[in-house]
């Protein structure tokens, strides 16, 4: 089967650091993706990991451990505009190379 | 702006109506997708077209009917829907290979 878990909601303070975790159990694995989705808008691509380790992109970093089926998205120097849902997704070759999405984590950044 | 455009942005329809959702991309991508996003549930893949041929339908009810006339356009035809079909319907496209998908802004559908 395929299952991706994320916390439903998180709250953090402006200027702080927040880590959003994602665990996955999929039949196959061909990359893990993080998307940001503001309310009423399209999901937009943030990061991609296919090998173990940390990928850094400005204020955002993403980590992957394939042996543990685990990833996290790290957001530094939080800004109010970072309030959004963050979606974790796995490309699964056994699912036609399509994405399996997690339920998303709604992050609220408070002043 | 992701390069994927969906129309309409909002749609209210009765259970006996027939309507269509439209998606357009001019990114040169080979694959196009329809997803359903319901409150507090993961994005659900409905249909995939690769090089204009349908490759996945995930046992979606027949009241949803996709059409891909060319590599830039994708439609979702709706008829005799149920209130539980109310959701955000998202279109996405991607190039060949293991790359990210680009999403449209979605159509917010309400079935009354």
């Amino acid at each position: 089967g395929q299952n991706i878990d994320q916390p439903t909601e998180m709250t953090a303070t402006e200027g702080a650091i927040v880590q959003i975790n994602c665990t996955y159990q999929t039949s196959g694995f061909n990359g893990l993706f993080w998307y940001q989705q503001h309310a009423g808008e399209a999901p937009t691509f943030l990061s991609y990991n296919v090998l173990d380790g940390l990928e850094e992109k400005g204020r955002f970093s993403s980590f992957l451990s394939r042996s543990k089926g685990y990833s996290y998205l790290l957001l530094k120097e939080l800004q109010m505009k970072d309030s959004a849902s963050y979606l974790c997704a796995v490309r699964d070759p056994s699912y036609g190379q399509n994405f399996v999405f997690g339920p998303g984590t709604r992050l609220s950044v408070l002043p | 702006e992701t390069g994927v455009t969906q129309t309409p942005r909002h749609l209210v329809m009765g259970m006996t109506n027939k309507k269509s959702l439209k998606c357009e991309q001019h990114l040169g991508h080979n694959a196009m997708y329809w997803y359903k996003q319901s409150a507090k549930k993961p994005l659900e893949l409905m249909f995939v077209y690769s090089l204009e041929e349908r490759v996945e339908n995930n046992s979606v009810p027949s009241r949803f009917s996709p059409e891909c006339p060319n590599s830039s356009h994708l439609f979702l035809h709706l008829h005799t829907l149920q209130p539980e079909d109310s959701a955000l319907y998202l279109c996405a496209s991607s190039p060949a290979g293991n790359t990210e998908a680009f999403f449209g802004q979605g159509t917010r559908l309400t079935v009354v």
Side-chain angles (χ1 to χ4, degrees):
Chain A
Q2 298 157 321
N3 187 52
I4 298 183
D5 287 319
Q6 304 177 237
T8 305
E9 293 187 18
M10 297 184 71
T11 302
T13 305
E14 197 174 12
I17 299 173
V18 71
Q19 178 175 311
I20 303 174
N21 295 325
C22 170
T23 57
Y24 64 90
Q25 301 95 39
T26 54
S27 302
F29 178 86
N30 211 354
L32 188 139
F33 297 76
W34 284 96
Y35 284 84
Q36 179 190 62
Q37 186 178 22
H38 286 99
E41 298 186 12
T44 54
F45 169 74
L46 287 178
S47 70
Y48 163 63
N49 295 71
V50 68
L51 300 176
D52 291 352
L54 189 68
E55 292 284 340
E56 297 189 76
K57 249 186 177 183
R59 293 190 299 116
F60 292 10
S61 304
S62 57
F63 171 83
L64 175 67
S65 169
R66 289 171 296 169
S67 62
K68 295 181 179 177
Y70 168 70
S71 174
Y72 67 73
L73 180 70
L74 193 70
L75 292 76
K76 302 176 187 175
E77 301 169 15
L78 280 173
Q79 302 175 10
M80 301 294 288
K81 67 178 182 179
D82 297 329
S83 293
S85 288
Y86 292 85
L87 311 179
C88 173
V90 171
R91 263 208 194 262
D92 187 349
S94 71
Y95 190 50
Q97 291 289 359
N98 295 313
F99 291 99
V100 180
F101 278 89
T105 298
R106 183 180 294 180
L107 174 66
S108 298
V109 180
L110 305 178
Chain B
E1 180 60 50
T2 63
V4 180
T5 304
Q6 289 186 244
T7 54
R9 292 291 307 277
H10 300 273
L11 178 62
V12 180
M13 60 185 289
M15 289 189 284
T16 58
N17 291 159
K18 288 185 180 181
K19 297 286 183 182
S20 295
L21 309 185
K22 180 181 177 182
C23 177
E24 189 170 350
Q25 60 92 7
H26 295 287
L27 301 170
H29 291 170
N30 296 322
M32 295 186 77
Y33 312 80
W34 280 117
Y35 284 90
K36 177 183 179 182
Q37 189 174 36
S38 303
K40 299 184 179 180
K41 290 177 69 176
L43 275 166
E44 301 171 51
L45 179 64
M46 299 177 73
F47 300 103
V48 178
Y49 277 85
S50 179
L51 298 172
E52 301 163 45
E53 288 192 13
R54 191 163 79 188
V55 295
E56 187 78 42
N57 70 0
N58 282 297
S59 303
V60 176
S62 60
R63 56 186 183 270
F64 296 92
S65 175
E67 180 189 1
C68 187
N70 56 60
S71 59
S72 299
H73 294 86
L74 184 65
F75 295 89
L76 187 63
H77 304 299
L78 317 171
H79 64 99
T80 60
L81 294 191
Q82 305 297 311
E84 60 264 28
D85 296 323
S86 298
L88 181 68
Y89 288 84
L90 288 162
C91 173
S93 70
S94 67
N98 303 326
T99 61
E100 71 271 26
F102 294 77
F103 285 86
Q105 292 194 299
T107 296
R108 173 68 63 185
L109 174 67
T110 303
V111 181
V112 297

